[in-house]
Amino acid sequence: MSVSVVETKDPLETEALGAKLAGGLRDGDVVLVRGELGSGKTTFVRGAARALGVTDPITSPTFSIGHRYKATDMTVSHLDLYRLAGGLQAEDPALLDDYLGPGRIAFVEWPASDSAELSNARLRVTLTHEGADRRRIEVVVEG
Ligand code: ADP
Ligand code: MG
């Protein structure tokens, strides 16, 4: 496990960090992205998804728990579990099946802590507001 902390001063720097970290991801990986509303979770995911070859606009899932995007040689999943922050116990166990697993790399905003699939994440990213456009971004890499 390795931990690093980066400070960004604008959204482009946060996107660039996402792009850089995307370079170390492999098929089937899960990335958990935590932080308050507006801290830059979706911005980070956008940078990572672009680097993986997604050309469609990357927007916050609103009417579903996630989006799937075609990337260079896999699918990029982008989940927002804000509404499920209390936990996944009460949900359909297959809820995440379309988004995780072989052939996919998944980014999960607001991960609930009680799912086995999510507890095996390769990367954990936590963003914190530091005033104006500055963000502190902690990155934990497993393995
Ligand atoms: P979240 O998904 O965490 O709710 P978003 O990525 O949707 O956050 O929104 C973050 C907002 O903050 C955007 O409007 C973005 O332009 C702005 N912002 C300002 N500075 C930064 C920064 N350093 N990193 C990321 N986003 C930033
Ligand atoms: Mg978001």
Side-chain angles (χ1 to χ4, degrees):
M1 189 183 93
S2 79
V3 183
S4 57
V5 175
V6 178
E7 268 199 18
T8 65
K9 61 168 173 28
D10 59 42
L12 286 178
E13 283 193 6
T14 298
E15 286 188 19
L17 177 67
K20 181 180 143 198
L21 292 171
L25 295 174
R26 299 188 285 258
D27 192 322
D29 277 348
V30 173
V31 179
L32 306 185
V33 191
R34 296 189 164 92
E36 287 171 19
L37 206 62
S39 58
K41 298 183 295 299
T42 298
T43 301
F44 174 89
V45 173
R46 184 174 295 121
R50 285 266 172 277
L52 292 169
V54 175
T55 54
D56 285 342
I58 293 124
T59 55
S60 292
T62 310
F63 298 107
S64 66
I65 64 161
H67 288 149
R68 276 167 296 169
Y69 299 102
K70 197 185 162 341
T72 306
D73 30 47
M74 92 292 291
T75 295
V76 167
S77 300
H78 177 201
L79 290 124
D80 187 327
L81 303 183
Y82 180 67
R83 285 182 241 47
L84 308 181
L88 294 171
Q89 304 96 329
E91 305 300 324
D92 177 352
L95 184 70
L96 304 180
D97 287 3
D98 290 341
Y99 297 96
L100 309 181
R104 285 161 275 194
I105 291 180
F107 296 86
V108 186
E109 297 188 35
W110 300 104
S113 51
D114 62 351
S115 143
E117 298 107 307
L118 299 185
S119 63
N120 287 330
R122 273 257 303 152
L123 212 60
R124 289 161 202 275
V125 179
T126 306
L127 299 101
T128 318
H129 286 278
E130 288 209 310
D133 288 352
R134 290 189 307 121
R135 303 288 190 273
R136 175 187 190 274
I137 307 177
E138 184 194 77
V139 179
V140 178
V141 186
E142 296 295 341

